[in-house]
Amino acid sequence: MGYYEKLLSLERIKKSLLDEKSRMFFDAKVDYMINRDGEQFLRVIDTIDDNWFCRELEEALARVDVKGIVIFGSGHDGKITKKILEKCKYLLSFFCDSDSAKVGKNVEGVKVISVGELTEKYSDHLVVLGSAKYAEEMYNILLERGFPTEKILYPKWGLLVAQCGNQYYDMFLPEDNTVFVDAGGYNGDTLFDFVAWTGGKYKKVYVFEPIFDMYQVIKKRIVKEQLTDVELYNNALWNKKEDIFLQKLRQVLMQQPREKLLLKE
């Protein structure tokens, strides 16, 4: 498919959306895919909805008792992370930065503290790593200084990601006897959002997850929550029956040290 055909396809998708809010989201996401301007994307969606939720942040806060939130990194990515926190209705206590020239100053109205001050005085705070490029280096610095591992949030996608509503289920109402096919179950989040959305009143769910590690995570969650009428397959969906090889990007999400920072079953 050439670029012209792809553009026509995008236009057809946009026209098929049922409301103006969805079309605005679509335009904003396409623009971000082209320009990679995260701040512009946040400015646009800021005018659309104010009911945002960051699952990764909520899970981290549910695991530990903290007095505040600190973002490690006060540069471009750190500022975007601050905006995401604000959209999810969380206030930032401090920025932290390894650059001594920034320490003691304010960035967007928030004080910047040193790594030493963070580890000595604020071990009762959750630290969000606010740089996709330097996250691993930041993580190692905190570990070397003895900062509690469970109070470090290492975003699985490089930066925090927020969503509005139930992601796939906030634009329409459930119907009786719904059959749902989850083609790429990941860790089961979409499955459990679906169950919550229907109030458990559905006919059948089929979940396909090709990566065995993630398949096992979903399987354990299904057993733990005692879900019924759910069929789980350790397969991918394709246009024909065959064996294919999938490249595991950084062993998906099961590689150290990130696995310590993610919700695991």
Side-chain angles (χ1 to χ4, degrees), residues 51-69:
N51 183 28
W52 291 89
F53 174 83
C54 178
R55 184 184 303 277
E56 201 172 17
L57 178 63
E58 295 293 342
E59 289 174 351
L61 291 172
R63 292 196 301 270
V64 293
D65 183 21
V66 296
K67 293 185 178 180
I69 301 174

Side-chain angles (χ1 to χ4, degrees), residues 50-230:
D50 196 37
N51 183 28
W52 291 89
F53 174 83
C54 178
R55 184 184 303 277
E56 201 172 17
L57 178 63
E58 295 293 342
E59 289 174 351
L61 291 172
R63 292 196 301 270
V64 293
D65 183 21
V66 296
K67 293 185 178 180
I69 301 174
V70 178
I71 294 175
F72 193 164
S74 60
H76 176 269
D77 287 357
K79 293 174 184 176
I80 290 179
T81 302
K82 175 178 178 287
K83 288 182 172 65
I84 291 173
L85 289 180
E86 291 171 345
K87 289 199 68 63
C88 296
K89 298 179 174 60
Y90 285 99
L91 294 177
L92 180 63
S93 301
F94 303 102
F95 278 111
C96 172
D97 210 292
S98 299
D99 186 350
S100 59
K102 296 181 179 181
V103 174
K105 297 180 180 179
N106 283 356
V107 172
E108 296 192 348
V110 178
K111 182 181 178 182
V112 181
I113 62 175
S114 67
V115 178
E117 185 174 359
L118 170 65
T119 55
E120 292 171 12
K121 297 182 180 180
Y122 299 104
S123 61
D124 55 358
H125 282 54
L126 178 71
V127 177
V128 181
L129 304 185
S131 172
K133 183 177 181 179
Y134 299 108
E136 188 169 351
E137 180 180 333
M138 291 172 168
Y139 179 77
N140 290 330
I141 288 173
L142 292 174
L143 289 188
E144 289 170 2
R145 289 176 172 265
F147 198 86
T149 306
E150 67 276 10
K151 294 179 182 176
I152 306 172
L153 175 52
Y154 194 140
K156 65 182 72 172
W157 303 118
L159 293 178
L160 287 184
V161 176
Q163 66 187 53
C164 180
N166 285 320
Q167 187 176 7
Y168 304 116
Y169 312 115
D170 55 353
M171 304 303 292
F172 50 93
L173 297 175
E175 298 180 3
D176 293 337
N177 298 317
T178 298
V179 176
F180 176 53
V181 178
D182 189 355
Y186 177 50
N187 65 355
D189 283 351
T190 303
L191 163 64
F192 283 89
D193 281 348
F194 171 80
V195 172
W197 177 64
T198 61
K201 299 177 181 178
Y202 55 87
K203 184 176 181 179
K204 194 78 174 181
V205 179
Y206 299 91
V207 183
F208 297 85
E209 175 49 54
I211 298 172
F212 183 72
D213 290 337
M214 305 311 291
Y215 163 83
Q216 290 285 65
V217 169
I218 300 172
K219 185 177 180 179
K220 290 178 182 178
R221 291 184 71 178
I222 290 173
V223 172
K224 181 179 179 181
E225 298 298 327
Q226 299 181 334
L227 293 190
T228 58
D229 298 316
V230 177

Side-chain angles (χ1 to χ4, degrees), residues 3-15:
Y3 287 114
Y4 180 70
E5 289 78 11
K6 290 179 180 178
L7 289 174
L8 291 178
S9 178
L10 287 174
E11 185 63 22
R12 285 194 294 271
I13 293 171
K14 181 178 177 180
K15 287 181 178 179

Side-chain angles (χ1 to χ4, degrees), residues 223-253:
V223 172
K224 181 179 179 181
E225 298 298 327
Q226 299 181 334
L227 293 190
T228 58
D229 298 316
V230 177
E231 292 190 19
L232 174 64
Y233 298 90
N234 185 206
N235 300 100
L237 291 183
W238 192 235
N239 62 350
K240 57 184 176 180
K241 186 175 181 179
E242 63 176 343
D243 292 330
I244 61 175
F245 294 93
L246 297 177
Q247 180 184 9
K248 290 188 177 182
L249 299 176
R250 302 187 70 171
Q251 297 181 354
V252 194
L253 297 175

